[in-house]
Short mmCIF file of all heavy atoms in Angstrom, two decimals:
data_model
loop_
_atom_site.label_atom_id
_atom_site.label_comp_id
_atom_site.label_asym_id
_atom_site.label_seq_id
_atom_site.Cartn_x
_atom_site.Cartn_y
_atom_site.Cartn_z
N ILE H 14 -4.44 4.31 -9.46
CA ILE H 14 -4.43 2.87 -9.59
C ILE H 14 -3.45 2.36 -10.63
O ILE H 14 -2.74 1.41 -10.40
CB ILE H 14 -5.89 2.32 -9.84
CG1 ILE H 14 -6.72 2.42 -8.57
CG2 ILE H 14 -5.87 0.92 -10.41
CD1 ILE H 14 -8.16 2.06 -8.71
N GLN H 18 -0.57 -0.40 -9.98
CA GLN H 18 -0.50 -1.63 -10.76
C GLN H 18 0.84 -1.78 -11.46
O GLN H 18 1.43 -2.87 -11.48
CB GLN H 18 -1.61 -1.68 -11.81
CG GLN H 18 -3.00 -1.85 -11.19
CD GLN H 18 -4.09 -1.59 -12.20
OE1 GLN H 18 -3.96 -0.76 -13.11
NE2 GLN H 18 -5.23 -2.29 -12.01
N HIS H 22 3.36 -4.87 -10.83
CA HIS H 22 3.76 -5.74 -11.94
C HIS H 22 5.26 -5.79 -12.18
O HIS H 22 5.77 -6.72 -12.76
CB HIS H 22 2.98 -5.40 -13.20
CG HIS H 22 1.58 -5.90 -13.18
ND1 HIS H 22 1.21 -7.12 -13.68
CD2 HIS H 22 0.46 -5.38 -12.68
CE1 HIS H 22 -0.10 -7.32 -13.52
NE2 HIS H 22 -0.57 -6.27 -12.89
N MET H 41 -2.66 -14.05 -8.41
CA MET H 41 -2.65 -13.13 -7.26
C MET H 41 -2.58 -11.68 -7.70
O MET H 41 -3.28 -10.82 -7.10
CB MET H 41 -1.50 -13.47 -6.34
CG MET H 41 -1.70 -14.81 -5.61
SD MET H 41 -0.32 -15.22 -4.50
CE MET H 41 -0.58 -13.99 -3.22
N LEU H 42 -1.83 -11.36 -8.72
CA LEU H 42 -1.81 -10.00 -9.22
C LEU H 42 -3.19 -9.56 -9.65
O LEU H 42 -3.63 -8.44 -9.35
CB LEU H 42 -0.79 -9.84 -10.39
CG LEU H 42 0.66 -9.67 -9.97
CD1 LEU H 42 1.60 -9.84 -11.17
CD2 LEU H 42 0.89 -8.30 -9.30
N ASP H 43 -3.89 -10.44 -10.36
CA ASP H 43 -5.25 -10.10 -10.81
C ASP H 43 -6.20 -9.99 -9.62
O ASP H 43 -7.00 -9.07 -9.56
CB ASP H 43 -5.75 -11.15 -11.81
CG ASP H 43 -7.08 -10.75 -12.39
OD1 ASP H 43 -7.19 -9.66 -12.95
OD2 ASP H 43 -8.04 -11.57 -12.25
N LEU H 44 -6.07 -10.92 -8.68
CA LEU H 44 -6.94 -10.93 -7.50
C LEU H 44 -6.79 -9.65 -6.68
O LEU H 44 -7.76 -9.04 -6.25
CB LEU H 44 -6.62 -12.14 -6.63
CG LEU H 44 -7.45 -12.31 -5.36
CD1 LEU H 44 -8.86 -12.75 -5.68
CD2 LEU H 44 -6.78 -13.38 -4.47
N ILE H 45 -5.57 -9.22 -6.44
CA ILE H 45 -5.27 -8.13 -5.53
C ILE H 45 -5.17 -6.77 -6.23
O ILE H 45 -5.52 -5.75 -5.63
CB ILE H 45 -3.94 -8.43 -4.77
CG1 ILE H 45 -4.10 -9.75 -3.98
CG2 ILE H 45 -3.56 -7.29 -3.84
CD1 ILE H 45 -2.79 -10.30 -3.42
N TYR H 46 -4.71 -6.74 -7.47
CA TYR H 46 -4.39 -5.50 -8.12
C TYR H 46 -5.22 -5.17 -9.34
O TYR H 46 -4.87 -4.28 -10.12
CB TYR H 46 -2.89 -5.44 -8.46
CG TYR H 46 -2.03 -5.43 -7.24
CD1 TYR H 46 -1.41 -6.56 -6.75
CD2 TYR H 46 -1.88 -4.25 -6.50
CE1 TYR H 46 -0.64 -6.55 -5.62
CE2 TYR H 46 -1.14 -4.22 -5.33
CZ TYR H 46 -0.51 -5.36 -4.90
OH TYR H 46 0.24 -5.33 -3.77
N SER H 47 -6.35 -5.87 -9.54
CA SER H 47 -7.23 -5.51 -10.65
C SER H 47 -7.82 -4.11 -10.37
O SER H 47 -7.82 -3.64 -9.23
CB SER H 47 -8.39 -6.54 -10.77
OG SER H 47 -9.23 -6.47 -9.66
N ASP H 48 -8.29 -3.47 -11.41
CA ASP H 48 -8.93 -2.18 -11.27
C ASP H 48 -10.05 -2.25 -10.22
O ASP H 48 -10.16 -1.41 -9.33
CB ASP H 48 -9.56 -1.69 -12.57
CG ASP H 48 -8.54 -1.26 -13.61
OD1 ASP H 48 -7.36 -1.06 -13.24
OD2 ASP H 48 -8.89 -1.13 -14.79
N GLU H 49 -10.86 -3.30 -10.32
CA GLU H 49 -11.99 -3.48 -9.40
C GLU H 49 -11.55 -3.64 -7.95
O GLU H 49 -12.08 -3.02 -7.06
CB GLU H 49 -12.82 -4.69 -9.87
CG GLU H 49 -14.05 -4.93 -9.06
CD GLU H 49 -14.85 -6.18 -9.53
OE1 GLU H 49 -14.63 -6.61 -10.68
OE2 GLU H 49 -15.61 -6.71 -8.71
N ALA H 50 -10.56 -4.52 -7.75
CA ALA H 50 -10.07 -4.80 -6.37
C ALA H 50 -9.50 -3.53 -5.75
O ALA H 50 -9.82 -3.18 -4.61
CB ALA H 50 -9.06 -5.92 -6.37
N LEU H 51 -8.63 -2.84 -6.49
CA LEU H 51 -8.01 -1.61 -5.93
C LEU H 51 -9.04 -0.50 -5.74
O LEU H 51 -9.00 0.18 -4.72
CB LEU H 51 -6.88 -1.13 -6.83
CG LEU H 51 -5.61 -1.97 -6.74
CD1 LEU H 51 -4.61 -1.52 -7.85
CD2 LEU H 51 -4.95 -1.88 -5.40
N SER H 52 -9.95 -0.34 -6.68
CA SER H 52 -10.99 0.70 -6.50
C SER H 52 -11.79 0.48 -5.26
O SER H 52 -12.04 1.42 -4.50
CB SER H 52 -11.98 0.69 -7.71
OG SER H 52 -11.31 1.10 -8.86
N LYS H 53 -12.21 -0.77 -5.02
CA LYS H 53 -12.98 -1.12 -3.84
C LYS H 53 -12.19 -0.81 -2.56
O LYS H 53 -12.71 -0.17 -1.63
CB LYS H 53 -13.36 -2.60 -3.88
CG LYS H 53 -14.20 -3.10 -2.72
CD LYS H 53 -14.60 -4.56 -2.95
CE LYS H 53 -15.36 -5.10 -1.79
NZ LYS H 53 -14.47 -5.63 -0.71
N GLN H 54 -10.94 -1.23 -2.52
CA GLN H 54 -10.13 -1.02 -1.31
C GLN H 54 -9.93 0.47 -1.05
O GLN H 54 -9.98 0.91 0.11
CB GLN H 54 -8.76 -1.70 -1.50
CG GLN H 54 -8.84 -3.20 -1.49
CD GLN H 54 -7.48 -3.82 -1.85
OE1 GLN H 54 -6.51 -3.63 -1.16
NE2 GLN H 54 -7.44 -4.54 -2.96
#
Side-chain angles (χ1 to χ4, degrees):
I14 286 175
Q18 290 169 328
H22 283 268
M41 291 180 70
L42 277 168
D43 185 55
L44 180 73
I45 300 168
Y46 293 101
S47 67
D48 288 344
E49 184 182 338
L51 286 172
S52 292
K53 180 176 177 275
Q54 291 171 62

